[in-house]
Amino acid sequence: MTREELTRLTGDCPNAYRTASGSFVVQGDLSAAFTPPDGEGLVEIPESVLREAVRALGW
């Protein structure tokens, strides 16, 4: 999947994107809160970014 295939929901980093299948991809600062399983990662998403994404979707 490329960035061009995603719908950008928020402004600057961190970003929230929606995929064609309806799932979400987030881009942001890595978090070291705990070690995730192989193949997974943790990012911190401020509440304001989630609110902006919800507004963009009209929810």
Side-chain angles (χ1 to χ4, degrees), residues 23-45:
S23 63
F24 296 91
V25 175
V26 294
Q27 169 194 354
D29 295 330
L30 290 176
S31 173
F34 63 90
T35 302
D38 285 344
E40 295 184 6
L42 303 175
V43 296
E44 293 189 32
I45 307 169

Side-chain angles (χ1 to χ4, degrees), residues 3-39:
R3 184 181 288 189
E4 291 74 27
E5 296 174 277
L6 302 172
T7 301
R8 189 174 186 168
L9 301 174
T10 57
D12 295 325
C13 189
N15 277 311
Y17 300 89
R18 191 168 195 188
T19 69
S21 66
S23 63
F24 296 91
V25 175
V26 294
Q27 169 194 354
D29 295 330
L30 290 176
S31 173
F34 63 90
T35 302
D38 285 344

